[in-house]
Amino acid sequence: MMYEKPNLPSLPRTVDEVADLLISDLPPKEMATLSSMDENEFLRLYNTVAQYVLDEFKIWTGNDDLLQSCLSRVSGSDEETDPAMVILRCVWQKLNDLPEILIIT
């Protein structure tokens, strides 16, 4: 058989699930760095990790639920329709919404 059915049950299906998963994998120091980024730093991060996010969560290759979740967050006037941007902005927003990040050294 040439085509194998993708194994999708383990993949996150919403933007929030992916954002929470990515945040849970971050060491505290990285969380602090990310939460204090300005727009330019964020865009540099995006350029570095966007392809990883797209590939890792199979956004264009079978994870239709996640793709729909990303697209549902794009407003009509929003130029940023890239699912990786939607996800990373959600991560950034969640980190900025944390009351305080405790760094243990």
Side-chain angles (χ1 to χ4, degrees):
M1 183 166 185
M2 248 175 108
Y3 299 104
E4 119 183 15
K5 191 164 174 65
N7 183 16
L8 297 179
S10 62
L11 289 172
R13 296 173 179 267
T14 68
V15 172
D16 282 314
E17 283 177 28
V18 173
D20 291 342
L21 190 64
L22 290 170
I23 290 169
S24 72
D25 285 345
L26 287 173
K29 187 176 178 188
E30 298 298 320
M31 291 173 73
T33 301
L34 271 169
S35 68
S36 63
M37 282 183 169
D38 64 25
E39 183 72 16
N40 288 332
E41 291 167 326
F42 173 78
L43 291 173
R44 280 198 297 277
L45 170 75
Y46 162 78
N47 288 329
T48 305
V49 301
Q51 194 58 53
Y52 164 80
V53 170
L54 293 173
D55 294 344
E56 180 72 11
F57 300 108
K58 301 187 180 342
I59 293 170
W60 294 118
T61 55
N63 194 346
D64 295 334
D65 291 339
L66 180 53
L67 178 59
Q68 286 307 314
S69 178
C70 290
L71 295 177
S72 72
R73 289 184 172 228
V74 176
S75 66
S77 62
D78 201 341
E79 292 176 9
E80 295 169 351
T81 57
D82 173 32
M85 177 63 83
V86 173
I87 290 167
L88 291 169
R89 281 219 181 269
C90 183
V91 168
W92 195 30
Q93 189 64 53
K94 284 176 178 271
L95 288 173
N96 280 310
D97 287 347
L98 291 176
E100 178 120 357
I101 298 171
L102 178 63
I103 299 177
I104 302 166
T105 53

